[in-house]
Amino acid sequence: VNVVGLGFGLLSLQVVPQVLGTFITEWDEGYSVCKRLLESEDSIKMYASRLSELASVLGFDGWLVRVST
């Protein structure tokens, strides 16, 4: 999980929709992360809630999610 710096954040205000957080999984480690995240409906809801809370607290609109496993 990554939150971009202020410069990119200000630049992104000119882009619709705004995407200011990235969630990227790659390779074998990414596979393990996805397996944990997607192991149950409760797990999916819990991680989605956490990402939503981060976006709300940090004041940005959403996430770019990239899964490369």
Side-chain angles (χ1 to χ4, degrees), residues 20-60:
L20 301 178
T22 56
F23 183 92
I24 301 171
T25 63
E26 297 177 315
W27 310 108
D28 293 336
E29 185 179 353
Y31 176 80
S32 296
V33 168
C34 287
K35 191 173 178 180
R36 281 193 315 271
L37 294 177
L38 303 173
E39 68 186 352
S40 70
E41 189 171 331
D42 288 338
S43 167
I44 293 167
K45 288 179 181 180
M46 190 271 295
Y47 285 107
S49 289
R50 298 296 87 77
L51 290 172
S52 179
E53 288 170 8
L54 276 173
S56 178
V57 168
L58 296 173
F60 58 89

Side-chain angles (χ1 to χ4, degrees), residues 8-20 61-62:
F8 184 81
L10 293 174
L11 177 63
S12 71
L13 292 174
Q14 301 170 19
V15 178
V16 177
Q18 295 178 18
V19 177
L20 301 178
D61 292 321

